Amino acid sequence: MGQMTTRQSPTARAAVTPRSPGKLADVTGPGLTDRWGAAATDLGASIEAPDGNLVSVFGDTFSGDRVGVGDWRSPVVLIGTGDARRPVRYHQAGGPDAGYARQLWHYIHDDTAPRWTKGGISTVIPSDLLRVGDTLYLHAIVNRGFGNAVWTEIWRSGDSGVTWHHLGERAKFPAALHGGHAQLWSWDFDPDDGWVYVVSTGFQRNKGIILRRVRPEHLGERTRYSGWGFRHGVWGWGNEPTPITPGGETWGELTLRRLAAGTWVLGGFLSSKYALGYRVISSPVANMFATEVQMPVLGCGWDDEDHTRNRVAQLYGGYLLPNSRVGVPGGVGLMVSQWHTRAHWPYRVMHFGVTLRDTR
């Protein structure tokens, strides 16, 4: 679709996509990732590293068999193989110990609210991974209490996800930036024009998506990000970013991936529909108001689950795996999270294969 030119663009349609292969496998859990102390974990945004391995980053991770049991860390990285077409299998942890998924950087999980006597950081949640050339970047959300982001920040790895280094104070972004729409990110690099495109929303799953861009050499400088916004009747760069998604749509975890020149996918957890939703677009500035959002995986109650038919209770995440293809039955691989918030198990990541039609 073309660039957005007015707010009066037709409202985007929503459609349940035709049945796809469904769940292919559990990615995390006992017997799969417990050897790295990651029996219970979520998220799993993934990217192909410069050395050809798959690097996946996970959120709150526990060595026990459910949420809250055992050693608590976040974020952690697992490194292995797999993509949209091949099973995901890990063979080592990122960080200082290949045999155990240690927290990527040191801080204490402060559980002493409201006094916050252990440093004031309850947890750090990863947003997404980015690759530019031989370097990986990780955007993470620093929280003080559940859903209460205090700032976000960027880390860098020059060795395919093993060690990570903070980009500095200028790579810290206040939680209130752009009205709270710049907390939870996804991003990708376009080698055709040399920009990194960043989509983001609030961490509370009650906002739309905004778009910014930045040159790779300026990723660590928060003032160099340029917003895509609607002003004086037209969309343009250099404006205060305004939501690129239709009113009424709210989002959680996001995934933005360039699959090929002129082929992008934007989506993730579409909280307003309790589903995983995606748009297949020609560029990040395509008209989202007129582009159909496809919902290949639907949320449901625990008594109504059917993973073979893409019905998942308490789902979220939905990150695209490398080598995903649109217009191919089952050609898009997704990392789908599930958390039974009452029983605290299952709390895991699963690999789904879904079909997304090419709607460019």
Side-chain angles (χ1 to χ4, degrees):
M1 307 298 291
Q3 291 187 351
M4 292 181 285
T5 56
T6 71
R7 282 199 184 277
Q8 286 71 44
S9 301
T11 301
R13 297 163 292 164
V16 178
T17 57
R19 181 182 172 187
S20 298
K23 179 179 172 179
L24 302 177
D26 287 336
V27 174
T28 67
L32 295 169
T33 51
D34 50 344
R35 60 178 290 192
W36 297 285
T41 192
D42 71 345
L43 301 181
S46 301
I47 202 160
E48 183 179 328
D51 64 3
N53 280 321
L54 181 75
V55 175
S56 302
V57 63
F58 298 92
D60 289 320
T61 298
F62 302 89
S63 58
D65 62 358
R66 64 194 63 242
V67 172
V69 176
D71 186 17
W72 177 16
R73 298 95 69 213
S74 182
V76 304
V77 157
L78 293 177
I79 299 171
T81 59
D83 57 21
R85 310 175 199 179
R86 299 177 296 150
V88 175
R89 298 285 186 268
Y90 298 112
H91 56 246
Q92 72 173 83
D97 184 350
Y100 189 82
R102 301 195 181 279
Q103 196 163 273
L104 293 183
W105 52 87
H106 175 73
Y107 69 92
I108 297 172
H109 291 268
D110 192 342
D111 57 359
T112 61
R115 299 183 65 184
W116 304 110
T117 60
K118 298 180 181 178
I121 297 175
S122 54
T123 193
V124 178
I125 301 297
S127 281
D128 194 17
L129 294 165
L130 165 72
R131 176 182 171 185
V132 180
D134 291 333
T135 303
L136 299 184
Y137 298 90
L138 167 61
H139 178 263
I141 310 160
V142 179
N143 292 274
R144 183 171 297 152
F146 186 78
N148 180 36
V150 287
W151 74 82
T152 74
E153 57 191 23
I154 300 175
W155 292 70
R156 173 187 180 276
S157 173
D159 56 7
S160 292
V162 177
T163 60
W164 294 85
H165 306 279
H166 197 283
L167 286 190
E169 286 298 311
R170 290 189 294 181
K172 293 174 69 172
F173 301 77
L177 183 65
H178 303 310
H181 285 79
Q183 297 176 3
L184 186 60
W185 295 20
S186 184
W187 45 1
D188 208 355
F189 175 62
D190 188 348
D192 294 331
D193 63 14
W195 290 98
V196 172
Y197 290 90
V198 182
V199 292
S200 60
T201 188
F203 193 48
Q204 303 77 25
R205 298 177 173 171
N206 62 2
K207 296 179 178 65
I209 299 172
I210 64 169
L211 172 66
R212 291 169 292 158
R213 69 179 183 181
V214 64
R215 294 295 187 188
E217 61 268 27
H218 298 142
L219 280 164
E221 301 178 42
R222 61 176 175 265
T223 61
R224 302 299 293 267
Y225 287 66
S226 177
W228 177 251
F230 188 79
R231 186 180 181 190
H232 302 313
V234 295
W235 289 86
W237 291 110
N239 296 331
E240 174 65 20
T242 50
I244 61 173
T245 46
E249 279 189 13
T250 60
W251 293 83
E253 296 77 29
L254 298 177
T255 184
L256 174 70
R257 289 295 183 263
R258 177 187 181 274
L259 305 188
T263 305
W264 295 69
V265 174
L266 169 61
F269 180 53
L270 180 55
S271 53
S272 54
K273 294 290 187 180
Y274 187 34
L276 301 183
Y278 304 89
R279 287 181 168 92
V280 179
I281 50 180
S282 59
S283 83
V285 296
N287 189 340
M288 308 299 173
F289 290 76
T291 304
E292 178 182 326
V293 58
Q294 302 177 57
M295 297 185 294
V297 185
L298 302 178
C300 64
W302 284 99
D303 293 336
D304 298 322
E305 277 206 300
D306 186 346
H307 292 182
T308 65
R309 295 182 177 273
N310 297 341
R311 295 178 57 83
V312 181
Q314 291 197 266
L315 82 171
Y316 55 107
Y319 306 99
L320 259 70
L321 281 165
N323 293 321
S324 289
R325 297 171 294 169
V326 299
V328 175
V332 174
L334 300 178
M335 296 282 267
V336 179
S337 289
Q338 181 181 47
W339 177 13
H340 195 309
T341 53
R342 186 165 57 183
H344 294 307
W345 182 264
Y347 177 70
R348 61 186 172 187
V349 179
M350 303 170 286
H351 182 183
F352 274 69
V354 304
T355 303
L356 293 180
R357 291 175 289 103
D358 189 347
T359 57
R360 291 173 296 163

